Amino acid sequence: ADGVITTEADGIANFDTDTNIPTNAAVKDYVNTNTPVLPYGRLRIKITIHDFDDYDPATSGIWNSKAYDIPNGFKVTSVKGYFSTNRDEVRVYAGDITSHTNTSLGKFEPQTNNGTLALDFTATDTNYLYLTLRKTHSGSYFQGGYFTLEKIPT
């Protein structure tokens, strides 16, 4: 029938019609149970120069590192970096807390791939992303970047 009221108990998802009218409680319940929780409230995680231990733009030949825990239910599809010159690079690894291993996923640097690396890294209970920053030239520096995330459908 036209104009049927859909209550919270009925469930909005059970009625895909243009004739039902949901109550406020039904709408609130639907939004609360069907909206994905985003890590940090967004689908990007920023990488800053402050993430790397003892980063000093005045030195060269130094490796700095940082681990990132990606929440379950998400995968990283790319990582992007911004650099002051064409001389630095960031290497990306998949780490695992149970085996203490780091598997190379590639590197991003401005001169070879415009500072972007495509990834297909799916978060689990035991893995994480591990980045190493290599300063190859005194005075050049990594300015920052971000991971792009994608929610994995359930």
Side-chain angles (χ1 to χ4, degrees):
D2 288 344
V4 174
I5 303 292
T6 302
T7 66
E8 180 179 4
D10 296 329
I12 290 176
N14 296 324
F15 298 93
D16 188 11
T17 70
D18 290 331
T19 57
N20 286 55
I21 302 167
T23 64
N24 288 348
V27 172
K28 185 175 184 319
D29 178 64
Y30 181 80
V31 170
N32 289 344
T33 58
N34 290 287
T35 303
V37 176
L38 301 177
Y40 311 106
R42 59 187 183 276
L43 287 175
R44 284 188 177 171
I45 296 176
K46 292 180 184 166
I47 305 165
T48 71
I49 59 169
H50 304 291
D51 290 346
F52 296 96
D53 298 330
D54 302 324
Y55 182 79
D56 181 3
T59 61
S60 62
I62 305 289
W63 286 95
N64 300 99
S65 59
K66 169 68 177 168
Y68 293 86
D69 181 24
I70 306 301
N72 283 349
F74 290 87
K75 71 177 182 176
V76 178
T77 58
S78 68
V79 60
K80 170 76 176 162
Y82 298 94
F83 302 83
S84 68
T85 68
N86 290 342
R87 296 187 170 116
D88 293 344
E89 70 180 42
V90 176
R91 295 183 182 185
V92 182
Y93 300 88
D96 190 285
I97 61 174
T98 60
S99 64
H100 306 291
T101 59
N102 290 319
T103 304
S104 177
L105 300 177
K107 65 181 178 178
F108 58 99
E109 54 192 351
Q111 66 270 27
T112 58
N113 56 8
N114 200 27
T116 302
L117 176 65
L119 293 175
D120 187 14
F121 174 84
T122 300
T124 68
D125 288 334
T126 61
N127 70 2
Y128 57 93
L129 282 179
Y130 183 75
L131 272 59
T132 59
L133 167 63
R134 182 167 184 241
K135 296 254 323 114
T136 59
H137 187 266
S138 177
S140 65
Y141 57 92
F142 174 70
Q143 296 169 295
Y146 56 85
F147 298 106
T148 300
L149 305 180
E150 183 178 295
K151 176 80 172 134
I152 298 171
T154 55

